[in-house]
Amino acid sequence: MGKLISKIPDGPLASKWTKYKASVKLVNPANKKKLEIIVIGTGLSGAGASSALGELGYSVKTFCYQDSPRRAHSVAAQGGINAAKNYQNDGDSTYRLFYDMIKGGDFRAREANVYRAAEVSNQVIDHFTALGVPFARDYGGTLDTRSFGGVQVSRTFYSKGQTGQQCLLGVYSSLNRQIKKGNVTMYPRREMLDLVLVDDKARGIIARNLLTGEIERHAAHAVVLATGGYGTIYFLSTLAVNSNASAAWKAHKKGAFFANPSFVQIHPTCVPQLNEFQSKLTLMSESLRNDGRVWVPKTKGDSRPANDIPEEERDYFLERRYPAFGNLVPRDVASRATKERCDAGFGIGDTGLAVNLDFRDSIKKQGKKAIENKYGNLFDMYKTITGIDSYEEPMRIYPAGHYTMGGLWVDYELMTTIPGLYAIGESNFSDHGANRLGASSLMQASGDGYFILPNTISNYLADEIRVPKISTNKPEFAEAEKTVIERLNKFISIKGRQTAASFHKRLGKIMWDYCGMVRNEEGLKKAQVLINDLREEFWKDLNIPGEYTELNQELEKAGRVADYFELAELLVTDALDRNESCGAHFREEYQTPEGEALRNDEKFAYVAAWEYTGEGKPHILHKEELKFEEVEMKVRSYK
Ligand SMILES: Cc1cc2nc3c(=O)[nH]c(=O)nc-3n(C[C@H](O)[C@H](O)[C@H](O)COP(=O)(O)OP(=O)(O)OC[C@H]3O[C@@H](n4cnc5c(N)ncnc54)[C@H](O)[C@@H]3O)c2cc1C
């Protein structure tokens, strides 16, 4: 442990994956059944991996904290999933998808992994179609596509505004098939509370049964984390309220390096916060920017209803600033441009923290029915929340925390720095650099789960075939279990006055104010002090009723918030350390005269992989230098 070996295969970029698959070690079918694999998570990455590994013949145990795998957070994805099919004949290709992702991520991702993600994208779409995912089709019956930010082709496959739900139902059915065949054992309502290492290899987990409180030991030859992102560190975000980073954080504390934690995406099109009592924000899919135009009044404080403001008095600021990409600039660019207009006093509504997303022109041109067919459920959702009919007047939107590009560091095989521990989907750092392009997460999560991990894991497991079934009676399991129980009891014994959620809310506000859409040295240093103070208060004044031996949702929240305090510290350290602006990481000190991100490739063209060294001790930074052999590192321009 302790070294970054990325294991990128030799040879030309376009043939690396093919060559890798042809030469990787395999496991004989008779041996597969004897090898056990734990998969944590049942989103597109985890359920995909479980079904593919089950189909291959491995013995898989799959865990999620929801009551059903099909409630994993992937269900919330709306807009679509990318693939380089080039059905539109508009110049798309694997290379172009790869290039768009590398550029969109502001040249802070590993070339070989990104190329492979693009390469596998077409298999993902074919696979989902075979599983019966009802992607939208055009009049001739061919799969339809639409555009997403940061690209000039139409490569996003979709099912209205419910793409994640439809894909997850497809994955869920293939998972169920494997459960029925006995290849996968499903453990819902379990929360992984620690990773168990035996002889420095990942060999199992400690989980809590969330219904009974029982603490369980589970062993395997390898462990796969497919546990999603940590966007809820901001408390208010577009993620499900229960999304959390605890599994990844526990693995980090056992030796898995955490990469680029400060690369967090703030999504430009969310329903603005309505009041102080909200526990989450709702996304309005990026796909809406295909047909919706973003604008603010040209006059500060213009409080007329949007429809009363004539065309010449509207500032379509994305189209004005970025004529080449217009409303379809990438998310980081759109979010900052929105913030700039609102900070300058042109925002709308009571708070001034909102801009218009207007469909008037598209409805005029295409008709209401066409817009309804593409986005009907999103318009319904917006109306349910705000009472506003967006066919008649513009939606109001504002940026919110959404996606985490950072995550556990993984090599080309998606293995972390702990042998036998893998991280896939949003839980790893791998493919999106400093900014993710829309619709490429479902693509990556599904590609990792269905097509990449099942190939790479055999390279490790081939050397494990002589290792007998791992026993949970080993002292390492007993030790980890003891630590878990002590910690649960520690939360309960504080007997303070404040709830875990109230701490989470205050932590989220610190993160949003000082380490959100824009950051600067002074604010980040202030955040360090504030986080530390709040963390101390948490450990003195937390109140958790009940016991750990029963259903106890307050206790669940406490564990997740406690981990968020530690991750928040690392996130801020990472943001302070990176003295440049790149993608979503915008340091105010480093910007061009036009207010665009100013990278420093000479000093910061690396992945920052942080090593945990113990309670209260500083992390150690390891750098994976990024070498770009196929693309030239250019200033990212959407003008
Ligand atoms: C509102 C919204 C809309 C989006 N729309 C799009 C889109 O249109 N296109 C796109 O490409 N991307 C979209 N994204 C991003 C995308 O949905 C996610 O990045 C992706 O679905 C993540 O999948 P995953 O498999 O990595 O994890 P998830 O789907 O988040 O699943 C995580 C799993 O891990 C389990 N888990 C976590 N911790 C533990 C633990 N300690 N113990 C046990 N189980 C645990 C959970 O139970 C769950 O099953 C959207 C995101 C949001 C928030």
Side-chain angles (χ1 to χ4, degrees):
M1 265 188 272
K3 281 222 179 94
L4 294 180
I5 302 169
S6 48
K7 296 194 211 144
I8 300 169
D10 298 333
L13 190 60
S15 52
K16 283 183 195 294
W17 182 230
T18 309
K19 193 177 148 202
Y20 175 90
K21 283 187 291 179
S23 52
V24 69
K25 281 184 259 178
L26 299 177
V27 178
N28 167 320
N31 283 328
K32 284 193 181 123
K33 198 75 208 149
K34 295 184 223 152
L35 292 169
E36 294 184 302
I37 304 173
I38 284 177
V39 178
I40 314 289
T42 56
L44 291 194
S45 64
S50 299
S51 356
L53 294 169
E55 182 76 45
L56 283 169
Y58 292 107
S59 294
V60 183
K61 303 175 199 173
T62 303
F63 297 75
C64 71
Y65 57 69
Q66 289 91 352
D67 57 348
S68 158
R70 80 191 143 85
R71 285 195 217 282
H73 186 57
S74 294
V75 76
Q78 302 173 344
I81 172 166
N82 287 333
K85 286 279 192 189
N86 194 26
Y87 284 162
Q88 305 290 343
N89 197 22
D90 55 1
D92 205 2
S93 63
T94 299
Y95 186 87
R96 198 179 287 277
L97 172 51
F98 150 76
Y99 183 79
D100 286 344
M101 284 175 74
I102 284 278
K103 175 184 167 191
D106 222 353
F107 303 92
R108 291 293 175 263
R110 194 189 287 149
E111 264 190 348
N113 287 51
V114 179
Y115 192 90
R116 179 180 60 185
E119 198 177 342
V120 165
S121 68
N122 290 343
Q123 275 174 280
V124 169
I125 294 300
D126 291 344
H127 188 66
F128 279 149
T129 308
L131 283 177
V133 173
F135 287 125
R137 290 180 183 264
D138 65 17
Y139 186 71
T142 314
L143 294 189
D144 199 10
T145 51
R146 55 191 176 199
S147 292
F148 262 57
V151 306
Q152 289 176 314
V153 294
S154 178
R155 65 160 73 100
T156 305
F157 296 80
Y158 65 99
S159 299
K160 267 198 174 178
Q162 319 169 329
T163 315
Q165 182 185 10
Q166 297 306 327
C167 291
L168 193 64
L169 286 173
V171 180
Y172 175 68
S173 48
S174 66
L175 175 67
N176 269 327
R177 180 164 176 269
Q178 295 306 320
I179 294 173
K180 183 91 171 62
K181 286 173 82 176
N183 297 337
V184 176
T185 308
M186 185 67 224
Y187 296 87
R189 299 299 274 138
R190 302 298 201 290
E191 181 160 22
M192 169 189 154
L193 291 183
D194 209 353
L195 177 74
V196 181
L197 305 193
V198 179
D199 298 332
D200 289 339
K201 289 181 172 179
R203 289 302 195 199
I205 62 160
I206 304 296
R208 180 165 171 269
N209 181 324
L210 298 178
L211 294 179
T212 63
E214 195 182 332
I215 305 296
E216 302 171 352
R217 303 175 186 186
H218 297 275
H221 293 84
V223 178
V224 179
L225 297 187
T227 47
Y230 52 91
T232 46
I233 200 162
Y234 292 94
F235 185 67
L236 284 179
S237 81
T238 61
L239 277 86
V241 282
N242 280 335
S243 296
N244 68 85
S246 287
W249 193 251
K250 293 296 179 340
H252 174 58
K253 290 176 87 168
K254 287 279 168 91
F257 291 2
F258 209 105
N260 299 334
S262 66
F263 288 176
V264 176
Q265 178 164 83
I266 310 296
H267 199 297
T269 56
C270 305
V271 180
Q273 186 179 353
L274 297 175
N275 60 48
E276 282 299 307
F277 306 105
Q278 264 174 258
S279 58
K280 89 173 284 308
L281 294 171
T282 306
L283 179 74
M284 285 291 113
S285 167
E286 175 164 305
S287 57
L288 293 167
R289 284 196 276 143
N290 272 274
D291 290 302
R293 299 178 72 192
V294 179
W295 65 274
V296 289
K298 279 186 179 164
T299 314
K300 271 188 198 178
D302 188 339
S303 57
R304 284 175 292 173
N307 287 340
D308 293 350
I309 300 181
E311 188 62 19
E312 59 282 6
E313 291 180 45
R314 299 173 173 206
D315 176 16
Y316 294 93
F317 57 92
L318 293 179
E319 296 169 37
R320 169 171 59 76
R321 281 182 69 172
Y322 307 101
F325 285 69
N327 293 294
L328 282 175
V329 287
R331 293 172 181 178
D332 57 330
V333 176
S335 291
R336 280 196 295 275
T338 299
K339 181 175 175 352
E340 187 278 326
R341 281 296 75 192
C342 292
D343 289 352
F346 295 91
I348 58 168
D350 294 341
T351 58
L353 294 178
V355 300
N356 292 304
L357 179 62
D358 198 341
F359 297 87
R360 184 190 66 178
D361 294 347
S362 298
I363 291 173
K364 231 185 253 167
K365 213 155 127 200
Q366 303 170 35
K368 185 177 169 188
K369 191 74 203 153
I371 296 298
E372 197 181 322
N373 282 344
K374 284 192 260 187
Y375 318 108
N377 72 304
L378 299 173
F379 277 59
D380 292 346
M381 195 158 81
Y382 186 80
K383 191 170 180 189
T384 307
I385 295 169
T386 64
I388 293 169
D389 178 357
S390 314
Y391 296 106
E392 299 297 330
E393 55 182 297
M395 288 180 181
R396 285 180 176 181
I397 51 163
Y398 194 71
H402 178 65
Y403 180 88
T404 45
M405 283 75 69
L408 292 177
W409 184 90
V410 288
D411 60 21
Y412 188 75
E413 297 185 315
L414 304 181
M415 199 200 277
T416 68
T417 44
I418 298 178
L421 179 72
Y422 293 79
I424 58 175
E426 194 174 341
S427 71
N428 73 27
F429 88 102
S430 144
D431 295 348
H432 309 292
N435 174 57
R436 173 173 75 78
L437 290 186
S440 59
S441 175
L442 296 187
M443 170 190 117
Q444 179 228 335
S446 316
D448 280 4
Y450 269 117
F451 298 107
I452 299 173
L453 178 87
N455 278 294
T456 62
I457 203 167
S458 67
N459 212 27
Y460 176 76
L461 291 175
D463 294 332
E464 297 287 313
I465 52 172
R466 281 169 206 86
V467 178
K469 193 176 162 75
I470 315 286
S471 162
T472 55
N473 291 327
K474 285 182 183 292
E476 290 85 350
F477 279 88
E479 183 58 35
E481 186 183 87
K482 187 169 152 265
T483 313
V484 161
I485 293 174
E486 277 170 6
R487 186 173 156 94
L488 294 173
N489 278 328
K490 194 168 167 192
F491 290 129
I492 291 166
S493 67
I494 299 172
K495 303 270 181 243
R497 291 162 305 166
Q498 301 181 60
T499 61
S502 69
F503 282 107
H504 191 177
K505 197 171 183 177
R506 288 164 67 195
L507 174 67
K509 172 114 177 69
I510 298 170
M511 297 306 287
W512 181 252
D513 287 348
Y514 301 108
C515 201
M517 233 182 306
V518 295
R519 297 111 187 242
N520 61 50
E521 187 179 348
E522 194 191 334
L524 290 167
K525 286 190 168 155
K526 187 165 178 193
Q528 285 181 319
V529 176
L530 293 173
I531 294 166
N532 193 45
D533 290 351
L534 190 60
R535 184 183 173 187
E536 279 178 14
E537 192 181 325
F538 172 87
W539 284 106
K540 281 188 198 134
D541 201 26
L542 175 73
N543 184 282
I544 300 298
E547 300 299 330
Y548 82 79
T549 46
E550 59 190 358
L551 179 117
N552 191 337
Q553 292 185 317
E554 286 303 303
L555 183 61
E556 291 169 31
K557 287 183 206 161
R560 295 165 190 168
V561 179
D563 291 334
Y564 267 156
F565 275 115
E566 297 178 15
L567 175 55
E569 281 177 0
L570 183 63
L571 202 156
V572 171
T573 303
D574 186 53
L576 251 179
D577 195 72
R578 196 171 272 279
N579 285 309
E580 66 161 351
S581 292
C582 58
H585 169 66
F586 193 80
R587 283 280 300 268
E588 283 175 319
E589 304 94 319
Y590 309 103
Q591 52 180 303
T592 64
E594 299 83 39
E596 305 296 340
L598 189 59
R599 284 199 327 259
N600 182 342
D601 293 337
E602 226 167 86
K603 288 198 173 149
F604 294 97
Y606 61 74
V607 175
W610 296 91
E611 179 183 4
Y612 181 79
T613 59
E615 203 74 45
K617 293 192 190 148
H619 276 73
I620 295 175
L621 172 62
H622 299 258
K623 296 176 184 176
E624 180 193 343
E625 299 298 332
L626 291 168
K627 293 191 198 83
F628 292 93
E629 288 164 0
E630 288 282 336
V631 299
E632 193 194 332
M633 293 172 85
K634 290 188 190 149
V635 174
R636 201 165 61 124
S637 170
Y638 294 96
K639 295 189 172 180

